[in-house]
Amino acid sequence: YHSNNRNLDLCSSSNESRLLNNQNYVCNATTFCGILFDSIEEICDLNKTKKISESSKFIKLDFDEIPVKKVNDKKTAMIYFSNNVQYIGSISNDQLDGHGEIYIDDKKYYKGEFKNNLFHGRGVIHSNFGDIYDGDFIDGYAEGYGSVDWPNGSSYIGEIRENLLEGPGRYKYLFGSYEGYFIKGLKSGIGRLKKVFSDGNILEILNTNWCHDIPLGRGSIIYNFKSYHYEGDIGSCFVNNTDICVYPH
């Protein structure tokens, strides 16, 4: 089966700040192993302690353009940042706090909950990298339970930690699926990989010891073509640095 590479250019000048501000940026920029998006630090130059007015990207705050609502001492406002970024939502103590939306170039980027400027709670993000994530956020990270659709047609639903797949989940590829456990975006532990070929035949690999995306140790290989079924030790090897060959061992 083939690896799921994203292969963004990590050498461009725009990556310097993203390496600093976007958690697990390198992993997500090279493979579809989590949610790749620009953080509040990257977009608005805000963190959990900084005031809106202290941001180097802050332009103005306006209460007049939208109806002002006040809920639990939180006001609703429109805030303008540089690079055509807008925030519409609740603020408290000169910070993004409560429900809000972020627009970039008049396109909705994020809709959901904020706490101390950061994405926190339930939210939906339409990443500038093409990822669409609907799920939980904690302290600015995609973390908890959620679903992600990637621009290459693959998708995932399950547990996530610090923007990477972590724990039990189901990863759907164009050619099949993997259902099992992940650690730091990689298949790890117990899992079942299913591949559907163009002729309709199905290959299944069930393994109890996936390690860094590779099945090792005890498992089974089932291929409905000629009713092939093997149980025992499984070996794996890389071919051309992209494909993985799995075989009885």
Side-chain angles (χ1 to χ4, degrees):
Y1 61 93
H2 192 73
S3 61
N4 217 23
N5 295 333
R6 191 193 296 256
N7 293 331
L8 292 183
D9 181 13
L10 293 175
C11 297
S12 65
S13 58
S14 63
N15 283 304
E16 293 181 8
S17 62
R18 284 173 170 154
L19 287 167
L20 178 65
N21 294 325
N22 296 344
Q23 184 74 0
N24 287 312
Y25 176 72
V26 173
C27 294
N28 280 313
T30 52
T31 60
F32 292 99
C33 62
I35 300 89
L36 182 61
F37 65 94
D38 281 336
S39 66
I40 284 292
E41 291 92 334
E42 180 69 19
I43 297 170
C44 302
D45 185 35
L46 290 172
N47 55 41
K48 67 190 309 180
T49 60
K50 187 178 289 186
K51 302 298 184 181
I52 296 170
S53 55
E54 296 172 342
S55 166
S56 64
K57 297 184 178 183
F58 172 71
I59 297 177
K60 70 173 183 175
L61 183 152
D62 202 328
F63 291 110
D64 297 329
E65 295 189 21
I66 56 175
V68 176
K69 300 177 182 178
K70 195 170 183 180
V71 180
N72 296 329
D73 294 324
K74 298 176 183 178
K75 293 182 179 180
T76 300
M78 178 176 287
I79 305 171
Y80 295 86
F81 296 91
S82 59
N83 301 317
N84 203 19
V85 175
Q86 293 175 308
Y87 171 83
I88 302 174
S90 298
I91 62 172
S92 179
N93 298 320
D94 199 16
Q95 289 190 321
L96 313 183
D97 201 279
H99 187 81
E101 299 177 3
I102 287 183
Y103 292 82
I104 302 177
D105 294 328
D106 297 323
K107 296 179 181 178
K108 187 178 291 184
Y109 180 78
Y110 174 84
K111 179 179 181 179
E113 299 301 316
F114 291 80
K115 183 179 180 181
N116 302 128
N117 290 324
L118 305 180
F119 305 140
H120 190 91
R122 193 75 181 179
V124 179
I125 197 162
H126 294 261
S127 168
N128 44 325
F129 297 98
D131 299 19
I132 301 174
Y133 173 70
D134 184 345
D136 299 325
F137 289 86
I138 296 178
D139 290 335
Y141 307 140
E143 183 157 335
Y145 186 85
S147 64
V148 57
D149 293 303
W150 289 291
N152 70 339
S154 297
S155 62
Y156 171 84
I157 183 167
E159 297 294 326
I160 293 162
R161 183 180 181 189
E162 293 187 352
N163 302 337
L164 293 176
L165 315 184
E166 181 87 15
R170 187 174 189 271
Y171 196 129
K172 186 177 180 181
Y173 304 86
L174 293 177
F175 57 77
S177 63
Y178 169 84
E179 190 163 358
Y181 284 79
F182 296 83
I183 294 178
K184 295 187 181 299
L186 302 176
K187 304 177 190 70
S188 301
I190 300 173
R192 181 190 298 271
L193 178 73
K194 179 186 290 186
K195 179 172 181 177
V196 181
F197 293 91
S198 58
D199 59 7
N201 287 312
I202 299 175
L203 172 69
E204 290 190 40
I205 302 170
L206 174 62
N207 192 262
T208 59
N209 189 34
W210 287 83
C211 183
H212 299 288
D213 269 352
I214 301 175
L216 298 171
R218 299 288 297 180
S220 65
I221 302 174
I222 302 172
Y223 187 37
N224 67 338
F225 182 68
K226 295 186 178 181
S227 301
Y228 178 81
H229 188 170
Y230 167 83
E231 292 190 16
D233 288 334
I234 294 177
S236 305
C237 65
F238 280 100
V239 180
N240 298 326
N241 295 322
T242 57
D243 297 313
I244 299 175
C245 177
V246 180
Y247 53 86
H249 180 61

